[in-house]
Amino acid sequence: MDKSKYIARTTGGREVELTQATIIKSNNLYPFGRHNYAIYETPDGTFVKGMNNGEREIMLTSYELIEESEARNYNHPYYRED
C-alpha cells in the first residue's frame, strides 16, 4: 500500500481516497475530541464527513459518505471545552 495516500474506510465499508480531496469545513484543534470534524469533497464529487468519537490523540476516528447539501450546510454540534 502507498503510505503517501490518505485512504478512509467509511461506516458503510467503502474506501475513499482523500489525498487530493478539498476540505470544505473542519475543526482540528488539539487536544482532539468530539469537537473535531472535517468535511471533504473528492475530485470525483464524493462528499465525506470525518468525525472524532472522543479520542484524544487521533483527530478523526470515523468517516461517512454524505450528500452535497449536507456537506455544504454542515454545522457541527460539538465545541472544544478546555
Side-chain angles (χ1 to χ4, degrees):
M1 176 175 13
D2 185 346
K3 294 186 186 241
S4 64
K5 290 188 178 183
Y6 181 12
I7 308 283
R9 182 178 303 274
T10 67
T11 53
R14 180 174 162 191
E15 287 189 347
V16 180
E17 183 177 347
L18 300 176
T19 311
Q20 300 296 320
T22 301
I23 298 174
I24 298 173
K25 299 179 179 186
S26 72
N27 175 338
N28 62 358
L29 295 174
Y30 184 86
F32 300 133
R34 292 184 67 127
H35 62 275
N36 295 111
Y37 74 96
I39 307 294
Y40 298 93
E41 180 179 4
T42 67
D44 69 356
T46 300
F47 293 87
V48 178
K49 176 172 64 173
M51 304 285 287
N52 182 307
N53 66 1
E55 185 68 41
R56 183 179 170 91
E57 298 301 322
I58 301 170
M59 184 182 150
L60 301 174
T61 57
S62 67
Y63 299 85
E64 66 181 81
L65 297 175
I66 59 174
E67 296 295 322
E68 179 177 6
S69 60
E70 181 181 354
R72 303 244 183 249
N73 299 305
Y74 183 74
N75 288 311
H76 194 62
Y78 300 101
Y79 297 92
R80 179 175 160 180
E81 297 178 14
D82 290 323

